[in-house]
Structure formats: structure tokens, C-alpha cells
């Protein structure tokens, strides 16, 4: 079905759980739901491509709320996000939009 349940470092804000983007990318690499994450002055997500980045270091205890604009397969997408230790954490709704089930 193309959906995989993955675990990732998380942060919670306002009762919503946010998942570290690179953890999810690494967890689903090699599956039908795989996607790559890159930095090109902003976050770039390419679906259908294996994750090529490094595994993130230890999870953060808290993060700052942001509105993140990222590029997904060439299209600009805006999502609520948390930024912690240089890593973005995004809500399940973002991952669902690219075919990945988190939680």
C-alpha cells in the first residue's frame, strides 16, 4: 500500500506531535514511501528518492515554532514546524501529504 509506520525523534507543541524530518526520511529510505531531504538555502524534499543525508544526532528537548516553506518535488509547500538544534520537526499532516505514515 506504500504506507509505512515509522518512529522518529519528536517534539510536542500545542498538543500536536512534530517528527524530525531527517529521521523520517532515513527510516523510510528504500521503501515505496522514500524521500530525500536536502538543504539549498531552504529545505528541499524529493519523493521517490532514497535519503542521502547524514543521520541526525541526539534529539532536542524543545524547539521554536516556525512556519516553514519548503520545496516538495519542485512545488512550494508551507507547514507548521519546530526548529531545534538545526533540525526541522514537522507534523504528521505534512508526512501524510507525501505518503508517509508516522507515529
Amino acid at each position: 500500500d506504500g504506507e509505512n509506520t515509522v518512529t522518529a525523534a519528536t517534539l510536542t507543541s500545542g498538543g500536536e506531535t512534530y517528527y524530525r524530518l531527517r529521521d523520517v526520511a532515513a527510516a523510510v529510505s528504500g521503501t515505496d514511501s522514500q524521500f530525500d531531504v536536502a538543504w539549498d538555502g531552504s529545505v528541499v524534499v524529493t519523493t521517490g528518492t532514497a535519503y542521502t543525508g547524514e543521520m541526525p544526532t541526539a534529539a532536542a528537548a524543545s524547539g521554536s515554532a516556525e512556519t516553514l516553506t519548503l520545496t516538495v518535488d519542485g512545488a512550494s509547500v508551507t507547514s507548521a514546524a519546530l526548529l531545534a538544534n538545526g533540525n526541522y520537526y514537522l507534523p504528521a499532516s505534512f508526512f501524510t501529504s507525501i505518503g508517509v505514515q508516522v507515529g
Side-chain angles (χ1 to χ4, degrees):
D1 65 4
E3 287 190 315
N4 298 282
T5 301
V6 300
T7 56
T10 61
L11 292 174
T12 302
S13 178
E16 183 165 12
T17 301
Y18 290 75
Y19 302 84
R20 188 162 52 185
L21 183 59
R22 289 186 180 274
D23 283 10
V24 177
V28 300
S29 191
T31 72
D32 290 345
S33 301
Q34 71 183 358
F35 64 95
D36 196 16
V37 178
W39 179 261
D40 184 17
S42 66
V43 177
V44 178
V45 172
T46 306
T47 61
T49 302
Y51 179 60
T52 58
E54 296 179 18
M55 283 300 296
T57 55
S62 64
S64 59
E66 297 199 358
T67 299
L68 175 65
T69 299
L70 58 161
T71 303
V72 178
D73 296 335
S76 182
V77 174
T78 302
S79 176
L82 297 176
L83 178 60
N85 294 345
N87 289 281
Y88 284 104
Y89 293 66
L90 288 104
S93 57
F94 169 78
F95 294 104
T96 300
S97 75
I98 62 169
V100 177
Q101 185 66 39
V102 294

